[in-house]
Amino acid sequence: MALILRQSTAAVISFGPFVDKTDGVTPETGLVSAIDHATTGIFLSKNGGALAIRSQAVTASTYDAYARYLVTLSTTDTNTVGTLIVAFIETATCLPVWMEFQVLEENAYDAWFKASATGGTDLATILTE
């Protein structure tokens, strides 16, 4: 199941797990500079588009725990409604990692997730709130 993000809104995601390519189990904990690399780091596919490097105007990633990294997606990264695939491949070190998100228009996201959400029960109501 895809996780849900708000369109054109920066978000910190827990990305991973990153495990060693040789045994598929050992956590990879030293990949921050590779993940954030300006040309070979994390790639995104927005709503079925070709994979392209993510925006570089983001906070540096950090290792969290259990082979997962905290990765910031910028407003540019989340500016397209639809499926967002976040992918990282460094075959010399780890197995490929990818996650799938669904980016919702701001009003649809807010209708579902904001503290002041009115809880519309049909799609027409949700999309007009």
Side-chain angles (χ1 to χ4, degrees):
M1 181 170 128
L3 299 172
I4 298 174
L5 296 173
R6 187 175 189 269
Q7 182 185 17
S8 299
T9 303
V12 176
I13 61 169
S14 177
F15 188 50
F18 287 81
V19 294
D20 189 80
K21 69 171 185 134
T22 56
D23 64 14
V25 176
T26 305
E28 290 291 347
T29 61
L31 294 173
V32 167
S33 31
I35 288 170
D36 287 345
H37 193 278
T39 58
T40 61
I42 291 176
F43 278 73
L44 307 176
S45 170
K46 298 179 184 182
N47 203 31
L51 284 165
I53 197 75
R54 76 178 166 134
S55 167
Q56 293 301 301
V58 294
T59 304
S61 301
T62 58
Y63 181 74
D64 186 17
Y66 300 103
R68 301 187 73 83
Y69 290 80
L70 298 177
V71 173
T72 301
L73 299 176
S74 73
T75 58
T76 300
D77 296 332
T78 62
N79 68 2
T80 303
V81 171
T83 302
L84 174 68
I85 295 174
V86 179
F88 178 79
I89 297 176
E90 186 177 276
T91 56
T93 308
C94 62
L95 296 177
V97 177
W98 68 93
M99 294 179 72
E100 194 170 303
F101 297 89
Q102 186 66 38
V103 179
L104 298 181
E105 289 183 357
E106 295 95 328
N107 60 348
Y109 182 95
D110 293 349
W112 281 74
F113 298 106
K114 272 182 88 173
S116 61
T118 59
T121 57
D122 62 74
L123 187 57
T125 303
I126 291 168
L127 294 177
T128 58
E129 291 183 341

